[in-house]
Amino acid sequence: MSTNYIEDQVFEKINYTVAPLPRAEYDNCTFKNCDFTQSNLSQIAFTECEFDTCNLSLALLGQTAFKDVKFKNCKMLGLHFEHCSDFLFEVGFEKCQLNMSVFYQRKMPKTIFDQCTLSEVDFTEANISEAVFTGCDLSGAMFDRTNLEKADLGTAFGYTLDPEKNKIKKAKFSVQGAMGLLAKYDIRVV
């Protein structure tokens, strides 16, 4: 990681596709209405930062550190979170579009996904135990050997997952959503 240290700054309406975000450690910074589309955020550390109404689609995240980072109203298509630094990785998402993003083998228990679109997101081998998916669209999301123990999918919808290939002990599902647990059996409940 870089030795440059930036704290308590607000970055607003900056297009980082033209001039890249300087490699540094950002602490308690806010990014509002910024465009990071296809930007290289590799080896940058964000601690207790917030991204609000930003576009991070297809940004590169090689060893990027997200430590207690909140994303609100962000477009985050095709991000590969599995490339991020594991050290103290902690994120939260509110009203974000995360379609086609990858959380392969990511350890992120208790993560909050609030009103997010997670279509075709890959949670293969991820630990999302005790995560909360409030009103989230999980259409086409991939769950394979995923730890969903005590996760709350009570208001999530569109998901299909195999209870025999995932850990779901004490997870919460709605009656309608529970149909996604039976999809592999090709049965009809009337």
Side-chain angles (χ1 to χ4, degrees), residues 2-181:
S2 174
T3 56
N4 293 334
Y5 186 78
I6 300 166
E7 77 177 317
D8 302 323
Q9 297 291 314
V10 176
F11 301 89
E12 194 163 2
K13 296 182 181 176
I14 300 173
N15 185 347
Y16 291 108
T17 63
V18 176
L21 180 69
R23 193 164 283 155
E25 293 184 31
Y26 295 86
D27 190 359
N28 198 37
C29 292
T30 302
F31 298 88
K32 290 183 177 182
N33 296 300
C34 294
D35 189 356
F36 295 93
T37 305
Q38 295 184 341
S39 295
N40 187 352
L41 301 178
S42 297
Q43 298 186 3
I44 296 176
F46 300 97
T47 304
E48 296 180 0
C49 291
E50 181 177 302
F51 291 82
D52 188 354
T53 319
C54 294
N55 188 345
L56 293 103
S57 297
L58 300 173
L60 299 176
L61 302 176
Q63 289 304 305
T64 303
F66 289 122
K67 304 170 187 173
D68 192 18
V69 175
K70 305 295 181 230
F71 298 93
K72 295 180 180 179
N73 304 302
C74 291
K75 187 174 182 181
M76 308 173 75
L77 308 179
L79 293 182
H80 286 264
F81 289 97
E82 80 276 21
H83 297 153
C84 290
S85 171
D86 291 328
F87 185 67
L88 299 175
F89 181 85
E90 184 181 348
V91 290
F93 304 95
E94 180 183 335
K95 296 181 182 174
C96 292
Q97 296 176 31
L98 287 147
N99 301 348
M100 296 174 282
S101 291
V102 181
F103 293 96
Y104 175 71
Q105 292 185 336
R106 180 61 41 202
K107 291 176 180 69
M108 44 195 298
K110 300 182 182 179
T111 298
I112 303 295
F113 295 91
D114 185 11
Q115 309 295 320
C116 294
T117 305
L118 296 146
S119 297
E120 298 182 40
V121 168
D122 186 354
F123 287 110
T124 301
E125 296 182 24
N127 178 354
I128 47 176
S129 60
E130 299 183 66
V132 178
F133 294 87
T134 305
C136 292
D137 180 357
L138 289 159
S139 301
M142 291 172 271
F143 298 96
D144 186 17
R145 299 178 306 279
T146 305
N147 183 347
L148 288 150
E149 292 177 340
K150 298 182 184 177
D152 186 348
L153 289 91
T155 59
F157 56 94
Y159 55 86
T160 301
L161 62 96
D162 186 344
E164 295 172 16
K165 292 183 178 179
N166 296 284
K167 296 178 181 179
I168 62 168
K169 187 175 182 177
K170 296 189 180 181
K172 295 177 187 174
F173 302 96
S174 68
V175 172
Q176 296 83 4
M179 295 307 297
L181 303 174

